[in-house]
Amino acid sequence: MTAESRRIRLDDRGLEVEALPGETLLEALEREGLRMRRSCRNGVCEICEISLLQGQLQQRYPQRLLDGDPCKPSLALACTSVPLTDISVKIKGLKLPGEVAVKKLNCDIASVEVLNRDVYRVRLHLPATASQAMTFHAGQYLDICLPNGRKASFSIASAPDQGRDVELHIRLMPDSEMSRAVLDYLQQNERVDIEAPKGGCWLDARSVTPGSRLVFAAASTGFSQIKSMVEHLLANQVMNPIRIYWGARNAQDLYHLALPEQWAREHANVHFVPVVSEPELCPDWIGRFGTLPQAILEDLDHFEDTHIYASGSPAMVYALLDACEAHGMQESQLHSDVFAYAPRPAKQ
């Protein structure tokens, strides 16, 4: 930080941003990848309003000098305000890098089709209007909202690069009244409410480090989350090594096997390994047997510059984490939504 620059403390976020000499508050925020509501930069629209809690700002238009007061904050326009001192501000609706807004949307149910004996592919058509547009990252999920208020979460199987349709893979589980209720509703109605996007385990092709190796581990319908990530990488021509492991008890549960096989044929950097854990269920299977952790450790002799994205049950994800940590991987190298919704006690 230079002597002429100023600190901008985002009071409700616990973060600090540096404003360069002469730089407006809005310019400083956007340079750091943060986003706020704005329309123009001449102070007329008054959308980019912030609350000044401490410090001093010079607002260029409308021209005035503003002093912060925690008890009675001053309102200023970020697009025309330059910090004169270190400041503390509060900004409603501020988004951190990569953060997107969760919306409740009413979508057309474009199709519901059977992929295998118990997995259905559902396509939803998102609203076209700008106010209802949805932005999501590869790997995030959505909630299906039923009229009785119940919700069910499903990974978005399509990549964000693929337009207004989103794809879901929904397994009909005999012992789950909720899965039946969701599929019944989707098959019998023309529209459905969703809340999206959700989930902190996602991937942005622009953040992939050159030379790093990406490993994807999916169990059962966890393949849907992995599908979104891989298709996003391929759409953006990411050439890093991509290894995909898809595990199931029975080979019949690998319900979309032809797709990852096609990725591997068409892209030299993609390697696909299907794994079946119960040989007695599929005597005709000629592929790998075992568990996902076993298959990955058989193939990888090191974890340097490797990131693993895992989608499946908490038991699978934590078994994979423990197995890889025992062979030198750091916990931070494995990414999964399981860590958020099913955390386990910290190791002693």
Side-chain angles (χ1 to χ4, degrees):
M1 185 163 176
T2 67
E4 297 80 14
S5 61
R6 306 299 182 192
R7 285 190 180 90
I8 302 169
R9 177 173 174 77
L10 307 173
D11 190 71
D12 53 340
R13 292 285 194 164
L15 300 174
E16 286 189 354
V17 172
E18 179 186 4
L20 302 177
E23 192 173 40
T24 67
L25 180 57
L26 181 61
E27 290 169 338
L29 293 171
E30 293 190 341
R31 178 171 48 77
E32 294 294 332
L34 291 95
R35 294 171 292 117
M36 63 178 295
R37 294 181 67 242
R38 69 172 180 85
S39 178
C40 62
R41 292 178 181 271
N42 62 11
V44 175
C45 68
E46 300 187 4
I47 288 178
C48 62
E49 194 172 67
I50 62 99
S51 297
L52 178 63
L53 306 178
Q54 289 181 326
Q56 194 172 67
L57 286 174
Q58 176 64 59
Q59 185 171 276
R60 294 169 176 166
Y61 185 89
Q63 186 172 357
R64 54 181 175 157
L65 188 67
L66 296 168
D67 291 299
D69 183 344
C71 298
K72 190 177 181 181
S74 299
L75 298 181
L77 301 177
C79 68
T80 70
S81 295
V82 177
L84 300 181
T85 65
D86 293 346
I87 62 172
S88 177
V89 298
K90 187 172 183 178
I91 304 175
K92 185 177 180 179
L94 183 70
K95 296 290 186 297
L96 301 181
E99 188 177 2
V100 292
V102 175
K103 297 182 178 182
K104 187 165 186 176
L105 305 173
N106 187 251
C107 305
D108 292 324
I109 302 170
S111 64
V112 180
E113 58 183 306
V114 177
L115 285 177
N116 77 343
R117 57 183 179 173
D118 58 3
V119 177
Y120 293 74
R121 174 164 52 200
V122 177
R123 288 193 171 98
L124 305 179
H125 200 48
L126 298 173
T129 58
S131 63
Q132 294 291 291
M134 185 183 88
T135 300
F136 69 96
H137 296 296
Q140 292 193 291
Y141 66 89
L142 58 75
D143 285 347
I144 294 286
C145 305
L146 298 180
N148 60 9
R150 299 179 70 187
K151 299 178 183 179
S153 300
F154 300 98
S155 293
I156 301 174
S158 45
D161 318 84
Q162 296 171 343
R164 282 175 50 208
D165 282 353
V166 296
E167 178 180 331
L168 311 175
H169 298 169
I170 301 179
R171 167 160 275 132
L172 175 59
M173 295 177 287
D175 298 330
S176 171
E177 183 273 332
M178 188 62 182
S179 73
R180 168 50 65 192
V182 168
L183 281 167
D184 284 347
Y185 185 87
L186 293 172
Q187 291 172 316
Q188 297 170 14
N189 291 273
E190 295 183 353
R191 302 181 67 82
V192 66
D193 287 335
I194 67 169
E195 288 183 359
K198 297 184 176 182
C201 177
W202 49 265
L203 187 61
D204 187 335
R206 295 169 296 183
S207 66
V208 175
T209 305
S212 62
R213 177 173 58 182
L214 303 172
V215 177
F216 298 93
S220 188
T221 50
F223 174 72
S224 58
Q225 182 182 25
I226 300 310
K227 175 180 178 292
S228 175
M229 293 182 180
V230 172
E231 289 186 334
H232 170 62
L233 294 173
L234 297 180
N236 288 274
Q237 300 181 356
V238 172
M239 299 307 296
N240 297 56
I242 296 171
R243 301 187 67 91
I244 304 162
Y245 293 82
W246 188 7
R249 295 174 56 247
N250 190 328
Q252 294 183 36
D253 294 331
L254 302 173
Y255 57 87
H256 211 346
L257 198 58
L259 181 61
E261 290 176 339
Q262 178 183 343
W263 295 337
R265 285 196 309 270
E266 297 179 353
H267 302 273
N269 61 318
V270 176
H271 183 72
F272 172 55
V273 179
V275 185
V276 169
S277 62
E278 298 189 19
E280 63 276 11
L281 298 179
C282 42
D284 297 330
W285 175 249
I286 58 174
R288 294 270 285 274
F289 287 107
T291 65
L292 284 172
Q294 288 171 345
I296 290 172
L297 290 176
E298 286 171 3
D299 293 350
L300 305 186
D301 58 0
H302 69 87
F303 290 96
E304 193 174 334
D305 296 324
T306 298
H307 285 274
I308 300 179
Y309 293 83
S311 182
S313 69
M316 184 280 282
V317 172
Y318 284 117
L320 178 60
L321 174 62
D322 291 341
C324 293
E325 278 190 312
H327 287 77
M329 189 192 77
Q330 300 297 312
E331 182 175 351
S332 60
Q333 293 175 259
L334 196 150
H335 313 275
S336 176
D337 280 320
V338 163
F339 300 143
Y341 74 80
R344 65 181 179 182
K347 295 178 181 179
Q348 299 299 318

